Amino acid sequence: DAAWQRNPAARALDARRDELSALAELAAGWAPGPGAVGIANRNDRPFDNRGRQEWELEYAQPVWLPGQAAARRNEAAVALRALDAERQSLRQELARRLVDTRLAWLLATGQASLAERRLTVARQLADDLARRVKAGEAPRFDLNLAESERLAAEAAVAEQALAASELARRFQVLAGSPPPLTLAPAATDTPATPHPGLVAAREAAALAQARLASTRQSLRDNPELGLRLRRERDASGAEYGDSISLRLVIPLASAPRSAAREAAAIAVATERAVAAEQLRSQFEQDRAQAAEQLATAARLEDAARARQGLAADNLSLADTAWRLGERPLEALLRARAAAFDADTAALRARHTREQAEAWRDYLKGSAE
């Protein structure tokens, strides 16, 4: 909700709603548009100047073509419905961006924590070896290896902290607040519903069809009905005479212009209908694939956790062997590197599984 309030597209949709509401109010009126008032004067002053005088006051009002009013009202109702569907679709896309950014931030934060732990262990090893080298109990070669590991760990900490900070900034730009560490659990038994994006595409196709129907009812300009009041005299001193007249103007249709309008509306309607059908097919395929992706991600996470356990066991064995002098320091450092790689792989596997869950929920129409 906070991100939606900050989204420029939301403000644009509000402005479009005001526009469509005004058009709907116009379509519901008794006339297709406002009338026009005209005034005219005729006299003979530049010529024989006998006092001839004539005044005309006219009000002209356009009127609906047969079937045009109903088509325009239907178009206005469908346009408002399509706008609501577009709003829900944009809101869903915004929710997806928030979820993706938060998951990426969680991954970067987890990697930063692993890097901090790696740095702590590297510092402890470097300090221990520094004391042993000073006491003559360890070669300087081992100390150089430990110092190299410490420097690499410091660089990794700085890199991961920067990545996490950048992702947190991106989330805050969207939502106006830092990303939350935890969220309320989403309902797991939420039934699949039509996706807002698909609903928006179908409503856009329906709007194109409504505009096509409106175009077919408006292939010529609107007739105009006029009421004219005339006050006139033939010469100076004569009494003025009043009269009233009605005027009806029926514009003629132009076949090329009508064909061009109808063809353009048909092209838009066809394009929107094809786009909606393609999107429906795509969502069906994506939903079928999402279940496979989630199952694969779960298997990968299980394998990564098993590897994590084996790497931790090897690290314990390597540390014991090095302290007993049975294995060189290089073996311990390799075991530690393998353990950190396994931890990172497990973290990434969990991230992949969470992404798959978010993608499945997105396809179900869920905003969580």
Side-chain angles (χ1 to χ4, degrees), residues 150-215:
R150 180 184 62 80
L151 292 173
E154 288 179 351
V157 167
E159 180 180 357
Q160 296 301 328
L162 181 62
S165 176
E166 173 62 19
L167 289 167
R169 185 193 65 82
R170 291 183 189 178
F171 188 95
Q172 188 155 5
V173 168
L174 289 174
S177 59
L181 283 172
T182 58
L183 291 176
T188 58
D189 57 348
T190 303
T193 57
H195 192 274
L198 181 57
V199 174
R202 288 173 175 169
E203 290 295 343
L207 177 58
Q209 288 291 338
R211 285 176 175 167
L212 173 59
S214 179
T215 299

Short mmCIF file of all heavy atoms in Angstrom, two decimals, residues 150-215:
data_model
loop_
_atom_site.label_atom_id
_atom_site.label_comp_id
_atom_site.label_asym_id
_atom_site.label_seq_id
_atom_site.Cartn_x
_atom_site.Cartn_y
_atom_site.Cartn_z
N ARG A 150 42.58 -13.42 5.68
CA ARG A 150 41.93 -12.33 6.40
C ARG A 150 41.63 -11.17 5.45
O ARG A 150 40.53 -10.59 5.48
CB ARG A 150 42.81 -11.86 7.54
CG ARG A 150 42.21 -10.70 8.35
CD ARG A 150 43.18 -10.23 9.42
NE ARG A 150 44.41 -9.71 8.84
CZ ARG A 150 44.53 -8.48 8.33
NH1 ARG A 150 43.49 -7.65 8.31
NH2 ARG A 150 45.69 -8.08 7.82
N LEU A 151 42.59 -10.81 4.58
CA LEU A 151 42.37 -9.70 3.65
C LEU A 151 41.26 -10.03 2.64
O LEU A 151 40.44 -9.17 2.30
CB LEU A 151 43.67 -9.39 2.91
CG LEU A 151 44.80 -8.80 3.77
CD1 LEU A 151 46.08 -8.70 2.97
CD2 LEU A 151 44.40 -7.43 4.32
N ALA A 152 41.25 -11.28 2.18
CA ALA A 152 40.18 -11.68 1.25
C ALA A 152 38.82 -11.62 1.94
O ALA A 152 37.82 -11.21 1.33
CB ALA A 152 40.45 -13.09 0.73
N ALA A 153 38.77 -12.00 3.23
CA ALA A 153 37.52 -11.96 3.97
C ALA A 153 37.06 -10.52 4.18
O ALA A 153 35.86 -10.21 4.08
CB ALA A 153 37.67 -12.67 5.31
N GLU A 154 37.99 -9.61 4.44
CA GLU A 154 37.63 -8.20 4.61
C GLU A 154 37.06 -7.63 3.31
O GLU A 154 36.08 -6.87 3.33
CB GLU A 154 38.85 -7.40 5.05
CG GLU A 154 39.27 -7.66 6.50
CD GLU A 154 40.50 -6.86 6.88
OE1 GLU A 154 41.11 -6.24 5.98
OE2 GLU A 154 40.85 -6.84 8.08
N ALA A 155 37.66 -7.99 2.19
CA ALA A 155 37.14 -7.52 0.90
C ALA A 155 35.74 -8.07 0.64
O ALA A 155 34.85 -7.35 0.14
CB ALA A 155 38.08 -7.93 -0.23
N ALA A 156 35.51 -9.33 0.97
CA ALA A 156 34.19 -9.93 0.78
C ALA A 156 33.15 -9.25 1.65
O ALA A 156 32.00 -9.03 1.22
CB ALA A 156 34.24 -11.43 1.07
N VAL A 157 33.52 -8.91 2.89
CA VAL A 157 32.58 -8.21 3.78
C VAL A 157 32.17 -6.87 3.19
O VAL A 157 30.98 -6.51 3.16
CB VAL A 157 33.20 -8.04 5.18
CG1 VAL A 157 32.39 -7.04 6.00
CG2 VAL A 157 33.28 -9.36 5.90
N ALA A 158 33.15 -6.11 2.71
CA ALA A 158 32.85 -4.80 2.13
C ALA A 158 31.96 -4.94 0.89
O ALA A 158 31.00 -4.17 0.71
CB ALA A 158 34.15 -4.08 1.78
N GLU A 159 32.26 -5.93 0.06
CA GLU A 159 31.49 -6.12 -1.17
C GLU A 159 30.04 -6.51 -0.87
O GLU A 159 29.11 -5.95 -1.44
CB GLU A 159 32.16 -7.20 -2.02
CG GLU A 159 31.45 -7.47 -3.33
CD GLU A 159 32.14 -8.55 -4.14
OE1 GLU A 159 33.20 -9.05 -3.70
OE2 GLU A 159 31.61 -8.90 -5.21
N GLN A 160 29.85 -7.45 0.04
CA GLN A 160 28.51 -7.91 0.36
C GLN A 160 27.70 -6.84 1.10
O GLN A 160 26.50 -6.70 0.89
CB GLN A 160 28.56 -9.20 1.19
CG GLN A 160 29.16 -10.38 0.46
CD GLN A 160 28.38 -10.72 -0.81
OE1 GLN A 160 27.18 -10.54 -0.87
NE2 GLN A 160 29.08 -11.22 -1.81
N ALA A 161 28.36 -6.08 1.96
CA ALA A 161 27.67 -5.00 2.67
C ALA A 161 27.18 -3.93 1.69
O ALA A 161 26.07 -3.40 1.83
CB ALA A 161 28.58 -4.38 3.72
N LEU A 162 28.01 -3.64 0.69
CA LEU A 162 27.61 -2.66 -0.33
C LEU A 162 26.41 -3.16 -1.13
O LEU A 162 25.47 -2.40 -1.40
CB LEU A 162 28.78 -2.37 -1.25
CG LEU A 162 28.53 -1.34 -2.36
CD1 LEU A 162 28.19 0.01 -1.76
CD2 LEU A 162 29.76 -1.23 -3.28
N ALA A 163 26.45 -4.46 -1.49
CA ALA A 163 25.32 -5.02 -2.25
C ALA A 163 24.03 -4.99 -1.44
O ALA A 163 22.96 -4.62 -1.95
CB ALA A 163 25.65 -6.45 -2.68
N ALA A 164 24.11 -5.35 -0.16
CA ALA A 164 22.92 -5.34 0.69
C ALA A 164 22.40 -3.91 0.87
O ALA A 164 21.18 -3.67 0.86
CB ALA A 164 23.24 -5.96 2.05
N SER A 165 23.30 -2.95 1.02
CA SER A 165 22.89 -1.56 1.19
C SER A 165 22.19 -1.04 -0.07
O SER A 165 21.18 -0.32 0.02
CB SER A 165 24.12 -0.70 1.52
OG SER A 165 23.77 0.67 1.59
N GLU A 166 22.70 -1.40 -1.23
CA GLU A 166 22.10 -0.93 -2.48
C GLU A 166 20.69 -1.52 -2.66
O GLU A 166 19.76 -0.82 -3.07
CB GLU A 166 22.99 -1.34 -3.66
CG GLU A 166 22.39 -1.08 -5.03
CD GLU A 166 22.11 0.39 -5.31
OE1 GLU A 166 22.69 1.25 -4.60
OE2 GLU A 166 21.30 0.67 -6.20
N LEU A 167 20.52 -2.79 -2.33
CA LEU A 167 19.21 -3.41 -2.46
C LEU A 167 18.22 -2.84 -1.44
O LEU A 167 17.04 -2.66 -1.74
CB LEU A 167 19.33 -4.92 -2.30
CG LEU A 167 20.00 -5.64 -3.48
CD1 LEU A 167 20.36 -7.07 -3.13
CD2 LEU A 167 19.08 -5.61 -4.70
N ALA A 168 18.70 -2.55 -0.23
CA ALA A 168 17.83 -1.91 0.75
C ALA A 168 17.39 -0.53 0.27
O ALA A 168 16.24 -0.12 0.48
CB ALA A 168 18.55 -1.81 2.10
N ARG A 169 18.31 0.18 -0.38
CA ARG A 169 17.96 1.51 -0.92
C ARG A 169 16.90 1.39 -2.02
O ARG A 169 15.97 2.18 -2.08
CB ARG A 169 19.22 2.19 -1.46
CG ARG A 169 18.99 3.62 -1.94
CD ARG A 169 20.17 4.13 -2.74
NE ARG A 169 20.32 3.36 -3.97
CZ ARG A 169 19.61 3.60 -5.07
NH1 ARG A 169 18.69 4.55 -5.08
NH2 ARG A 169 19.80 2.89 -6.15
N ARG A 170 17.05 0.39 -2.88
CA ARG A 170 16.05 0.19 -3.94
C ARG A 170 14.67 -0.09 -3.36
O ARG A 170 13.66 0.44 -3.84
CB ARG A 170 16.48 -0.97 -4.84
CG ARG A 170 17.70 -0.71 -5.69
CD ARG A 170 17.98 -1.90 -6.58
NE ARG A 170 19.27 -1.77 -7.26
CZ ARG A 170 19.78 -2.70 -8.07
NH1 ARG A 170 19.09 -3.82 -8.29
NH2 ARG A 170 20.96 -2.51 -8.63
N PHE A 171 14.64 -0.90 -2.33
CA PHE A 171 13.35 -1.22 -1.69
C PHE A 171 12.76 0.04 -1.07
O PHE A 171 11.55 0.29 -1.18
CB PHE A 171 13.54 -2.31 -0.64
CG PHE A 171 12.24 -2.83 -0.08
CD1 PHE A 171 11.65 -3.96 -0.61
CD2 PHE A 171 11.62 -2.19 0.98
CE1 PHE A 171 10.45 -4.43 -0.12
CE2 PHE A 171 10.41 -2.66 1.49
CZ PHE A 171 9.83 -3.78 0.94
N GLN A 172 13.60 0.84 -0.42
CA GLN A 172 13.10 2.04 0.24
C GLN A 172 12.60 3.06 -0.78
O GLN A 172 11.64 3.80 -0.51
CB GLN A 172 14.18 2.65 1.12
CG GLN A 172 13.68 3.80 1.99
CD GLN A 172 14.52 3.98 3.23
OE1 GLN A 172 15.54 3.32 3.41
NE2 GLN A 172 14.09 4.88 4.10
N VAL A 173 13.23 3.11 -1.95
CA VAL A 173 12.73 4.00 -3.01
C VAL A 173 11.32 3.59 -3.42
O VAL A 173 10.46 4.44 -3.67
CB VAL A 173 13.69 3.98 -4.21
CG1 VAL A 173 13.06 4.64 -5.42
CG2 VAL A 173 14.99 4.68 -3.86
N LEU A 174 11.08 2.28 -3.47
CA LEU A 174 9.76 1.79 -3.87
C LEU A 174 8.71 1.99 -2.77
O LEU A 174 7.61 2.47 -3.03
CB LEU A 174 9.83 0.30 -4.23
CG LEU A 174 10.56 -0.07 -5.52
CD1 LEU A 174 10.66 -1.58 -5.65
CD2 LEU A 174 9.85 0.52 -6.73
N ALA A 175 9.07 1.58 -1.54
CA ALA A 175 8.08 1.52 -0.46
C ALA A 175 8.16 2.67 0.52
O ALA A 175 7.23 2.87 1.31
CB ALA A 175 8.21 0.19 0.29
N GLY A 176 9.27 3.40 0.53
CA GLY A 176 9.41 4.48 1.50
C GLY A 176 9.85 4.03 2.87
O GLY A 176 9.88 4.83 3.81
N SER A 177 10.19 2.75 3.02
CA SER A 177 10.65 2.22 4.30
C SER A 177 11.63 1.09 4.02
O SER A 177 11.62 0.50 2.93
CB SER A 177 9.47 1.71 5.13
OG SER A 177 8.78 0.69 4.43
N PRO A 178 12.48 0.74 5.00
CA PRO A 178 13.44 -0.36 4.79
C PRO A 178 12.71 -1.68 4.60
O PRO A 178 11.57 -1.86 5.05
CB PRO A 178 14.28 -0.35 6.08
CG PRO A 178 14.07 1.00 6.68
CD PRO A 178 12.69 1.41 6.30
N PRO A 179 13.35 -2.64 3.94
CA PRO A 179 12.70 -3.95 3.76
C PRO A 179 12.56 -4.68 5.08
O PRO A 179 13.46 -4.66 5.92
CB PRO A 179 13.66 -4.69 2.80
CG PRO A 179 14.97 -4.00 2.96
CD PRO A 179 14.66 -2.57 3.28
N PRO A 180 11.42 -5.34 5.30
CA PRO A 180 11.22 -6.07 6.56
C PRO A 180 11.97 -7.39 6.55
O PRO A 180 12.10 -8.05 5.52
CB PRO A 180 9.71 -6.29 6.60
CG PRO A 180 9.31 -6.32 5.15
CD PRO A 180 10.24 -5.37 4.44
N LEU A 181 12.45 -7.77 7.73
CA LEU A 181 13.14 -9.06 7.84
C LEU A 181 12.17 -10.22 7.73
O LEU A 181 12.49 -11.26 7.14
CB LEU A 181 13.89 -9.14 9.17
CG LEU A 181 15.22 -8.37 9.27
CD1 LEU A 181 15.73 -8.37 10.68
CD2 LEU A 181 16.24 -8.98 8.31
N THR A 182 10.97 -10.06 8.27
CA THR A 182 9.98 -11.14 8.24
C THR A 182 8.65 -10.59 7.74
O THR A 182 8.38 -9.39 7.84
CB THR A 182 9.78 -11.75 9.64
OG1 THR A 182 9.36 -10.71 10.55
CG2 THR A 182 11.08 -12.37 10.14
N LEU A 183 7.83 -11.47 7.21
CA LEU A 183 6.50 -11.13 6.76
C LEU A 183 5.51 -12.12 7.35
O LEU A 183 5.88 -13.25 7.71
CB LEU A 183 6.41 -11.20 5.22
CG LEU A 183 7.17 -10.13 4.43
CD1 LEU A 183 7.03 -10.41 2.94
CD2 LEU A 183 6.65 -8.75 4.75
N ALA A 184 4.27 -11.71 7.44
CA ALA A 184 3.23 -12.63 7.89
C ALA A 184 3.11 -13.76 6.88
O ALA A 184 3.17 -13.52 5.67
CB ALA A 184 1.90 -11.90 8.04
N PRO A 185 2.95 -14.99 7.34
CA PRO A 185 2.87 -16.10 6.39
C PRO A 185 1.65 -15.98 5.50
O PRO A 185 0.56 -15.61 5.95
CB PRO A 185 2.78 -17.33 7.30
CG PRO A 185 2.27 -16.82 8.61
CD PRO A 185 2.82 -15.43 8.74
N ALA A 186 1.84 -16.28 4.22
CA ALA A 186 0.74 -16.23 3.27
C ALA A 186 -0.09 -17.49 3.38
O ALA A 186 0.39 -18.55 3.78
CB ALA A 186 1.28 -16.08 1.85
N ALA A 187 -1.35 -17.37 3.04
CA ALA A 187 -2.24 -18.53 3.07
C ALA A 187 -1.81 -19.53 2.00
O ALA A 187 -1.60 -19.16 0.84
CB ALA A 187 -3.68 -18.10 2.84
N THR A 188 -1.67 -20.78 2.40
CA THR A 188 -1.19 -21.80 1.46
C THR A 188 -2.32 -22.42 0.66
O THR A 188 -2.08 -23.09 -0.34
CB THR A 188 -0.45 -22.90 2.22
OG1 THR A 188 -1.33 -23.46 3.21
CG2 THR A 188 0.79 -22.34 2.90
N ASP A 189 -3.58 -22.24 1.11
CA ASP A 189 -4.71 -22.86 0.43
C ASP A 189 -5.50 -21.86 -0.42
O ASP A 189 -6.68 -22.03 -0.68
CB ASP A 189 -5.65 -23.52 1.44
CG ASP A 189 -6.15 -22.52 2.50
OD1 ASP A 189 -5.59 -21.41 2.55
OD2 ASP A 189 -7.09 -22.86 3.23
N THR A 190 -4.82 -20.76 -0.82
CA THR A 190 -5.49 -19.76 -1.63
C THR A 190 -5.80 -20.35 -3.00
O THR A 190 -4.88 -20.83 -3.68
CB THR A 190 -4.59 -18.52 -1.80
OG1 THR A 190 -4.26 -18.00 -0.51
CG2 THR A 190 -5.32 -17.45 -2.61
N PRO A 191 -7.06 -20.35 -3.43
CA PRO A 191 -7.37 -20.94 -4.74
C PRO A 191 -6.82 -20.08 -5.86
O PRO A 191 -6.66 -18.87 -5.74
CB PRO A 191 -8.91 -20.95 -4.74
CG PRO A 191 -9.29 -19.86 -3.80
CD PRO A 191 -8.23 -19.82 -2.74
N ALA A 192 -6.53 -20.74 -6.96
CA ALA A 192 -6.04 -20.03 -8.14
C ALA A 192 -7.16 -19.16 -8.70
O ALA A 192 -8.29 -19.59 -8.85
CB ALA A 192 -5.55 -21.02 -9.19
N THR A 193 -6.84 -17.94 -9.01
CA THR A 193 -7.81 -16.99 -9.55
C THR A 193 -7.25 -16.42 -10.85
O THR A 193 -6.05 -16.50 -11.10
CB THR A 193 -8.07 -15.85 -8.55
OG1 THR A 193 -6.83 -15.20 -8.25
CG2 THR A 193 -8.70 -16.38 -7.28
N PRO A 194 -8.11 -15.85 -11.68
CA PRO A 194 -7.59 -15.20 -12.89
C PRO A 194 -6.57 -14.13 -12.53
O PRO A 194 -6.80 -13.30 -11.66
CB PRO A 194 -8.85 -14.60 -13.54
CG PRO A 194 -9.97 -15.44 -13.03
CD PRO A 194 -9.58 -15.83 -11.63
N HIS A 195 -5.44 -14.17 -13.20
CA HIS A 195 -4.38 -13.22 -12.88
C HIS A 195 -4.80 -11.81 -13.25
O HIS A 195 -5.45 -11.61 -14.29
CB HIS A 195 -3.11 -13.62 -13.63
CG HIS A 195 -1.90 -12.89 -13.17
ND1 HIS A 195 -1.55 -11.66 -13.66
CD2 HIS A 195 -0.97 -13.22 -12.24
CE1 HIS A 195 -0.44 -11.27 -13.07
NE2 HIS A 195 -0.07 -12.18 -12.22
N PRO A 196 -4.48 -10.81 -12.41
CA PRO A 196 -4.87 -9.44 -12.75
C PRO A 196 -4.35 -8.99 -14.11
O PRO A 196 -5.04 -8.23 -14.81
CB PRO A 196 -4.23 -8.62 -11.61
CG PRO A 196 -4.17 -9.56 -10.46
CD PRO A 196 -3.90 -10.91 -11.06
N GLY A 197 -3.17 -9.45 -14.50
CA GLY A 197 -2.66 -9.09 -15.82
C GLY A 197 -3.53 -9.65 -16.93
O GLY A 197 -3.79 -8.99 -17.95
N LEU A 198 -4.00 -10.89 -16.75
CA LEU A 198 -4.87 -11.50 -17.75
C LEU A 198 -6.24 -10.82 -17.75
O LEU A 198 -6.83 -10.60 -18.82
CB LEU A 198 -5.02 -13.00 -17.46
CG LEU A 198 -5.89 -13.80 -18.43
CD1 LEU A 198 -5.37 -13.67 -19.85
CD2 LEU A 198 -5.93 -15.27 -18.00
N VAL A 199 -6.76 -10.49 -16.57
CA VAL A 199 -8.03 -9.77 -16.50
C VAL A 199 -7.91 -8.42 -17.20
O VAL A 199 -8.81 -8.01 -17.95
CB VAL A 199 -8.46 -9.59 -15.03
CG1 VAL A 199 -9.71 -8.72 -14.95
CG2 VAL A 199 -8.72 -10.94 -14.38
N ALA A 200 -6.79 -7.74 -16.98
CA ALA A 200 -6.59 -6.44 -17.63
C ALA A 200 -6.52 -6.58 -19.15
O ALA A 200 -7.07 -5.75 -19.89
CB ALA A 200 -5.30 -5.79 -17.10
N ALA A 201 -5.85 -7.64 -19.63
CA ALA A 201 -5.77 -7.86 -21.08
C ALA A 201 -7.15 -8.15 -21.67
O ALA A 201 -7.49 -7.67 -22.76
CB ALA A 201 -4.81 -9.01 -21.37
N ARG A 202 -7.95 -8.94 -20.95
CA ARG A 202 -9.30 -9.24 -21.45
C ARG A 202 -10.18 -8.00 -21.45
O ARG A 202 -10.98 -7.79 -22.38
CB ARG A 202 -9.92 -10.33 -20.59
CG ARG A 202 -9.29 -11.71 -20.84
CD ARG A 202 -9.80 -12.74 -19.85
NE ARG A 202 -9.29 -14.07 -20.17
CZ ARG A 202 -9.42 -15.12 -19.36
NH1 ARG A 202 -10.03 -14.99 -18.19
NH2 ARG A 202 -8.94 -16.29 -19.73
N GLU A 203 -10.05 -7.19 -20.41
CA GLU A 203 -10.86 -5.97 -20.37
C GLU A 203 -10.41 -4.99 -21.45
O GLU A 203 -11.23 -4.26 -22.02
CB GLU A 203 -10.75 -5.32 -18.99
CG GLU A 203 -11.45 -6.09 -17.87
CD GLU A 203 -12.94 -6.16 -18.06
OE1 GLU A 203 -13.49 -5.37 -18.85
OE2 GLU A 203 -13.58 -7.02 -17.42
N ALA A 204 -9.11 -4.97 -21.75
CA ALA A 204 -8.63 -4.12 -22.84
C ALA A 204 -9.20 -4.59 -24.18
O ALA A 204 -9.56 -3.76 -25.04
CB ALA A 204 -7.10 -4.13 -22.88
N ALA A 205 -9.29 -5.92 -24.36
CA ALA A 205 -9.91 -6.45 -25.58
C ALA A 205 -11.39 -6.09 -25.64
O ALA A 205 -11.92 -5.74 -26.70
CB ALA A 205 -9.71 -7.95 -25.65
N ALA A 206 -12.07 -6.19 -24.49
CA ALA A 206 -13.50 -5.82 -24.45
C ALA A 206 -13.69 -4.34 -24.75
O ALA A 206 -14.65 -3.95 -25.44
CB ALA A 206 -14.09 -6.17 -23.08
N LEU A 207 -12.77 -3.51 -24.27
CA LEU A 207 -12.87 -2.08 -24.54
C LEU A 207 -12.66 -1.80 -26.03
O LEU A 207 -13.35 -0.95 -26.62
CB LEU A 207 -11.83 -1.32 -23.71
CG LEU A 207 -11.74 0.18 -23.94
CD1 LEU A 207 -13.08 0.86 -23.68
CD2 LEU A 207 -10.66 0.79 -23.06
N ALA A 208 -11.72 -2.52 -26.65
CA ALA A 208 -11.51 -2.34 -28.09
C ALA A 208 -12.76 -2.73 -28.87
O ALA A 208 -13.13 -2.07 -29.86
CB ALA A 208 -10.31 -3.16 -28.54
N GLN A 209 -13.43 -3.81 -28.45
CA GLN A 209 -14.67 -4.21 -29.11
C GLN A 209 -15.77 -3.15 -28.90
O GLN A 209 -16.55 -2.85 -29.83
CB GLN A 209 -15.14 -5.56 -28.57
CG GLN A 209 -14.31 -6.74 -29.02
CD GLN A 209 -14.46 -7.03 -30.51
OE1 GLN A 209 -15.45 -6.65 -31.14
NE2 GLN A 209 -13.47 -7.69 -31.08
N ALA A 210 -15.85 -2.59 -27.70
CA ALA A 210 -16.85 -1.56 -27.43
C ALA A 210 -16.58 -0.31 -28.28
O ALA A 210 -17.51 0.32 -28.80
CB ALA A 210 -16.85 -1.20 -25.95
N ARG A 211 -15.31 0.03 -28.45
CA ARG A 211 -14.97 1.19 -29.28
C ARG A 211 -15.25 0.92 -30.75
O ARG A 211 -15.62 1.83 -31.50
CB ARG A 211 -13.51 1.56 -29.06
CG ARG A 211 -13.28 2.27 -27.72
CD ARG A 211 -11.83 2.56 -27.45
NE ARG A 211 -11.70 3.33 -26.21
CZ ARG A 211 -10.54 3.53 -25.58
NH1 ARG A 211 -9.42 2.99 -26.07
NH2 ARG A 211 -10.51 4.24 -24.47
N LEU A 212 -15.07 -0.34 -31.16
CA LEU A 212 -15.42 -0.70 -32.53
C LEU A 212 -16.92 -0.53 -32.75
O LEU A 212 -17.35 0.02 -33.78
CB LEU A 212 -14.99 -2.14 -32.82
CG LEU A 212 -15.44 -2.73 -34.16
CD1 LEU A 212 -14.90 -1.90 -35.31
CD2 LEU A 212 -14.99 -4.18 -34.28
N ALA A 213 -17.73 -1.00 -31.80
CA ALA A 213 -19.18 -0.83 -31.92
C ALA A 213 -19.56 0.64 -31.94
O ALA A 213 -20.44 1.06 -32.70
CB ALA A 213 -19.87 -1.56 -30.77
N SER A 214 -18.89 1.44 -31.10
CA SER A 214 -19.18 2.87 -31.07
C SER A 214 -18.78 3.53 -32.38
O SER A 214 -19.48 4.42 -32.89
CB SER A 214 -18.44 3.51 -29.89
OG SER A 214 -18.68 4.90 -29.85
N THR A 215 -17.64 3.09 -32.95
CA THR A 215 -17.19 3.65 -34.22
C THR A 215 -18.20 3.34 -35.33
O THR A 215 -18.49 4.19 -36.18
CB THR A 215 -15.82 3.08 -34.58
OG1 THR A 215 -14.87 3.45 -33.57
CG2 THR A 215 -15.33 3.62 -35.91
#
